[in-house]
Amino acid sequence: MDQARLFLETQPLFTLFLTVALGYIVGEINVRGVCLGSGAVLFVGLALGAFAPKSAPPALLGTLGLLLFLYGIGIQYGAQFFRGLTSPMGIKANAAACAGVLASGLVAWALVPLTHIRLADALGMFAGTGTSTASLQATIATLKNNDAAVGYSVTYPIGVAGPILFLFALKVLLKPRIDAPKAKLIDMAEIALRNPAFVGLKLHDLTTRLPQGLAIAAVRRQHHNQLPDGDLVLQKDDVLLATATDPEVLRETAARCGEIQPGRMMSHREDLDYMRVFASSALVVGMPLRDLRYPDGVSCAIAHVRRGDVDLLPNPDIVLESGDRVGVLANRAHMEAIRAFFGDSIKGTADLSFICLGIGAAAGLLAGAIKLPLPGTGGFSLGLAALLILALCLGKIRRSGPFVWVMPLSANLVLRNLGLTIFLAQVGISCGPKFVDTVGAAGPLLLLYGVIVLLVLVGVTALLAMAVFKLPFDTSVGVLCGATGNPGILAFGNRIAPTDRPDLMYAMIFPSMTIVKVLFAQLAISLAGS
């Protein structure tokens, strides 16, 4: 055993990656639908750190890991975050989650004078019950020690399992009826123009009179298919290739315009043919469809955009993301030029700009180093919370001239999950010895206090979301998931509320609540020091 301990202490990188591997093995263990996921890396790190006290990698490595995690979150969820700050439902959702987070933080803070626990333990419990790694990092950095990791590690399992049990109880108690939405897939129909009221109109004037959720992909006239020019004056017997994600919209359009004909347009491809390309070129990624500038002499029409498992109608405001699959109608002679324009590279959808990553991260760290005044405390700095805020702004902007701030989803997931894992492993190994000493003496009490803090968090959030703001059940589930933070909770929320609202609310709530948790931890330490 002594030789194994000595080897771990002389090979900190080996210890780090052994922690990662064993942590994910433990995290996959499923107990009645609950598993720790990446959070298990922390517990394995605590065990190895207790066994080999001098095996911890440098703290800078853990900070780098968290930086990558927060930057990836901000870049991905920037647009949803700012939308949540302005929409009526988003404001209500953020208010409910913020009240719950602050209430739980105040309860944790009040436990310091009431129970005589250390401030580090209280803030560690606050971070653990809220599964907020960023809040833990802020506490560690401000206190300049790893004491908070003990309270975090003791209460983290409660922070994962507790909200899942709470959501399960809500579902059983309320028995909400939630119909799973149908998959949004493109349907099409060829509609012959027979209505005299529409003959002689320009195509863009006709589209304003048709049902919403419909797009015209092509027009067939005198046995020839052509692109949908908005200034085209329509004639009787013109055939419109209409697309929609709702078949009822197509039927209503056919009833207004004329009748649905057999599929002649798709069987005659000498004028226009269909192809699907990957959006991977820097010329198109981060650009709205309205701003695309095709090569000289090349003309085409976008029939739809497939993002993940969802088809999107070609709206001028749609901003292309790396990895989008774009359905294009064009003459075959233009297809090679169109492929080159969009990039059409699967490999390219996993690339990211390290120039933009470096600039964004450096600017965020610089902003985080600026000390902000706070009366009575001497001031405080945002630290990595400033980096998250900047990343959210860049995620909303998407690109600035040649700089494409967004990154492909696949690359983003790998980057931030790797960063989070490295941070958890480093923190766990470094505080392993303290964890053993503290848990033996105060573990059960910290566990009890953690339950109290968690119940305040989920109880206040649910009460405001559902009883005060009257948000629908699936929306409230997303708010609770965003307030508590762990992706495993969101996965369970998607099972009990199988709509897109839990994901949407999580994207709106999680970044802002991460900032609130970080700022609360820093302010609590500043005020305690004063």
Side-chain angles (χ1 to χ4, degrees):
M1 295 296 288
D2 290 338
Q3 290 182 341
R5 181 181 296 107
L6 180 62
F7 179 78
L8 292 176
E9 290 181 344
T10 55
Q11 300 292 331
L13 283 181
F14 172 82
T15 307
L16 178 76
F17 283 100
L18 179 64
T19 301
V20 171
L22 294 177
Y24 271 91
I25 292 174
V26 174
E28 290 296 321
I29 298 175
N30 192 305
V31 180
R32 297 185 180 276
V34 179
C35 57
L36 292 176
S38 61
V41 174
L42 177 67
F43 302 108
V44 172
L46 290 169
L48 289 179
F51 175 72
K54 299 179 181 179
S55 61
L60 182 63
L61 190 61
T63 303
L64 172 63
L66 190 61
L67 180 151
L68 295 176
F69 171 73
L70 293 177
Y71 188 81
I73 286 288
I75 288 295
Q76 180 179 348
Y77 292 138
Q80 295 93 326
F81 170 72
F82 285 101
R83 192 181 305 128
L85 295 179
T86 56
S87 66
M89 181 174 289
I91 292 172
K92 293 178 181 178
N94 272 286
C98 186
V101 168
L102 291 178
S104 66
L106 291 173
V107 168
W109 197 17
L111 289 173
V112 175
L114 292 176
T115 64
H116 305 292
I117 63 173
R118 298 179 302 173
L119 179 63
D121 291 331
L123 293 180
M125 287 192 303
F126 171 66
T129 54
T131 64
S132 175
T133 310
S135 177
L136 172 63
Q137 189 277 337
T139 303
I140 290 173
T142 306
L143 291 176
K144 297 181 173 59
N145 59 57
N146 290 328
D147 292 348
V150 175
Y152 179 87
S153 58
V154 171
T155 56
Y156 183 92
I158 300 173
V160 176
I164 291 176
L165 295 174
F166 185 83
L167 288 173
F168 177 77
L170 275 182
K171 179 73 179 287
V172 173
L173 180 64
L174 300 178
K175 296 182 176 61
R177 180 177 178 179
I178 302 175
D179 297 323
K182 297 180 180 178
K184 293 185 177 181
L185 302 177
I186 289 289
D187 200 358
M188 62 181 61
E190 297 181 18
I191 302 174
L193 190 63
R194 301 280 195 259
N195 188 342
F198 294 155
V199 174
L201 290 178
K202 291 183 178 180
L203 182 59
H204 65 75
D205 292 329
L206 173 66
T207 55
T208 61
R209 304 188 183 190
L210 297 180
Q212 291 185 346
L214 181 99
I216 305 299
V219 178
R220 183 173 179 83
R221 176 178 293 175
Q222 298 177 353
H223 310 294
H224 291 281
N225 300 332
Q226 55 185 296
L227 297 175
D229 185 350
D231 293 327
L232 177 69
V233 178
L234 296 170
Q235 299 177 3
K236 185 180 180 182
D237 297 328
D238 282 349
V239 179
L240 310 176
L241 181 60
T243 60
T245 56
D246 184 356
E248 184 60 35
V249 171
L250 293 176
R251 287 191 287 269
E252 182 181 348
T253 301
R256 291 188 188 182
C257 294
E259 60 182 2
I260 296 178
Q261 287 196 342
R264 297 178 182 175
M265 298 180 72
M266 299 305 295
S267 60
H268 291 79
R269 302 193 175 193
E270 61 276 5
D271 298 309
L272 294 178
D273 203 351
Y274 173 85
M275 68 174 177
R276 182 180 286 183
V277 294
F278 281 97
S280 60
S281 169
L283 294 175
V284 301
V285 173
M287 297 289 289
L289 294 185
R290 73 163 80 84
D291 293 339
L292 295 182
R293 297 294 179 263
Y294 301 106
D296 292 339
V298 173
S299 57
C300 66
I302 294 178
H304 69 99
V305 176
R306 186 165 181 80
R307 179 169 297 163
D309 297 327
V310 176
D311 285 329
L312 306 175
L313 288 175
N315 186 300
D317 295 327
I318 289 179
V319 178
L320 289 178
E321 297 181 2
S322 184
D324 284 349
R325 288 157 289 173
V326 184
V328 178
L329 291 173
N331 190 280
R332 292 176 183 174
H334 296 163
M335 286 190 171
E336 286 304 316
I338 293 173
R339 290 185 192 278
F341 175 71
F342 281 96
D344 198 27
S345 170
I346 298 178
K347 179 181 177 182
T349 62
D351 292 337
L352 60 95
S353 171
F354 286 97
I355 296 176
C356 295
L357 173 61
I359 293 174
L365 290 172
L366 182 62
I370 299 173
K371 199 165 187 178
L372 303 176
L374 184 66
T377 66
F380 69 100
S381 59
L382 289 175
L384 289 183
L387 179 132
L388 176 58
I389 295 172
L390 180 67
L392 289 167
C393 295
L394 295 179
K396 183 179 186 299
I397 295 171
R398 293 176 179 265
R399 70 180 296 162
S400 306
F403 298 104
V404 180
W405 304 112
V406 294
M407 62 181 74
L409 179 60
S410 55
N412 189 312
L413 288 172
V414 170
L415 197 66
R416 74 174 193 244
N417 287 337
L418 175 63
L420 178 62
T421 301
I422 289 175
F423 172 75
L424 290 174
Q426 193 279 328
V427 169
I429 297 170
S430 64
C431 70
K434 289 184 179 180
F435 175 77
V436 173
D437 295 337
T438 305
V439 169
L445 282 178
L446 290 180
L447 206 61
L448 175 62
Y449 299 152
V451 171
I452 296 173
V453 173
L454 176 69
L455 288 176
V456 172
L457 170 60
V458 295
V460 172
T461 303
L463 180 65
L464 289 177
M466 304 179 71
V468 177
F469 295 132
K470 308 295 184 183
L471 298 179
F473 180 79
D474 52 351
T475 300
S476 299
V477 167
V479 174
L480 277 166
C481 293
T484 49
N486 189 278
I489 303 169
L490 176 64
F492 182 81
N494 281 325
R495 289 200 293 270
I496 66 171
T499 70
D500 60 351
R501 287 185 177 178
D503 283 329
L504 180 59
M505 288 295 109
Y506 183 86
M508 286 185 179
I509 299 299
F510 175 73
S512 56
M513 291 308 103
T514 299
I515 295 171
V516 171
K517 291 172 185 178
V518 169
L519 292 179
F520 180 87
Q522 292 181 322
L523 288 172
I525 295 170
S526 298
L527 292 173
S530 64

